[in-house]
Amino acid sequence: MSGGRVSGRVKGNAAVGHCLEMSTGDMRTVVRLLTAVERTEQQERTLARVRTECERTDARFREQGIDLDVSISRALDELIDGTPSTDPCPAYSYAFYQAVAAHFSDPTDLGAWRRPSWFRAMDDELARHGVPSDLLPGTFLFRGPPLRLPHPGDVVPAIGTLPAGRAAALADAYARVLDRLDPEFRGPARRLADALRAEAREGGSARTAGTNPDTLLFWFH
């Protein structure tokens, strides 16, 4: 097998769609973990948990007959060493996600969605009613992580980010146009608006408690 292709589907199917999850946290802690020259004892313990999760995902994929050119465990090591492959491979996205999961909140399930290209139509519909470009789902859902990763080699898995401070603005912008949207997009827009509204409230409480959940991460898989 060559070119970073995946043998077998990792998740989702044409009939049901793909899963979308959202979590929140301080992205700087994730970047520091992966780029530190010398790690603290706490970082080493966290890294050990991340590596264990990567190994578990590798084992699950093997059981499912899913073959990646690079194992997720190896991808994690290459990210830490700063030597990731330049060939397309989804393993690096999975490794990065496990690093995020060790620092961020438990994921919120945003349900099953159509293929990523469907969001282009949703972007057009929202933009037609005045939603700013940086709040269109196709803009932030597939933006990628703050670290440069090899391309997954397919449209999924996809990583997206949105500044946590923009959650309330997104919810407000979508709420203002819900009644004018085509019925095909009204339900999905409401689902995103409700999730981001709840996240904006919870994020405010977290900052009051002394933490800094500065980033919303979206995991489309």
Side-chain angles (χ1 to χ4, degrees):
M1 187 174 60
S2 62
R5 292 183 179 275
V6 180
S7 176
R9 292 194 65 84
V10 173
K11 190 106 179 206
N13 60 63
V16 177
H18 298 278
C19 296
L20 178 62
E21 299 175 355
M22 177 183 71
S23 56
T24 183
D26 186 345
M27 185 61 73
R28 293 172 300 178
T29 62
V30 179
V31 174
R32 284 196 293 263
L33 177 72
L34 296 175
T35 61
V37 176
E38 294 185 8
R39 293 180 182 82
T40 65
E41 291 184 5
Q42 178 61 48
Q43 285 177 320
E44 290 292 354
R45 288 193 293 269
T46 300
L47 191 56
R49 295 200 305 272
V50 173
R51 183 170 284 106
T52 296
E53 292 305 317
C54 289
E55 291 169 352
R56 287 175 177 169
T57 306
D58 281 329
R60 186 174 74 250
F61 282 1
R62 286 194 298 270
E63 292 174 357
Q64 296 173 353
I66 296 169
D67 182 20
L68 307 182
D69 281 346
V70 177
S71 72
I72 299 170
S73 301
R74 176 180 160 190
L76 175 65
D77 289 336
E78 291 181 4
L79 289 178
I80 293 169
D81 293 339
T83 59
S85 170
T86 57
D87 295 331
C89 182
Y92 300 93
S93 295
Y94 283 102
F96 181 83
Y97 177 74
Q98 291 300 341
V100 168
H103 295 88
F104 275 42
S105 65
D106 291 337
T108 298
D109 182 4
L110 296 181
W113 296 73
R114 301 182 189 181
R115 60 190 182 277
S117 60
W118 177 81
F119 285 98
R120 297 175 189 166
M122 188 175 182
D123 286 352
D124 290 342
E125 176 71 3
L126 290 168
R128 189 165 67 87
H129 293 287
V131 173
S133 60
D134 66 322
L135 298 179
L136 300 176
T139 300
F140 61 83
L141 289 179
F142 310 105
R143 176 175 291 161
L147 293 179
R148 185 183 297 275
L149 300 181
H151 192 278
D154 201 350
V155 291
V156 290
I159 295 171
T161 61
L162 181 74
R166 297 292 283 158
L170 184 148
D172 290 342
Y174 286 22
R176 282 194 294 269
V177 302
L178 275 178
D179 292 341
R180 290 178 279 150
L181 296 179
D182 183 280
E184 177 182 1
F185 306 105
R186 195 173 300 151
R190 181 178 289 109
R191 187 190 310 176
L192 286 174
D194 289 347
L196 271 292
R197 178 75 68 197
E199 195 56 57
R201 290 195 296 266
E202 293 177 8
S205 299
R207 281 186 289 275
T208 300
T211 62
N212 182 33
D214 62 356
T215 301
L216 296 173
L217 183 125
F218 298 89
W219 179 237
F220 192 84
H221 61 117

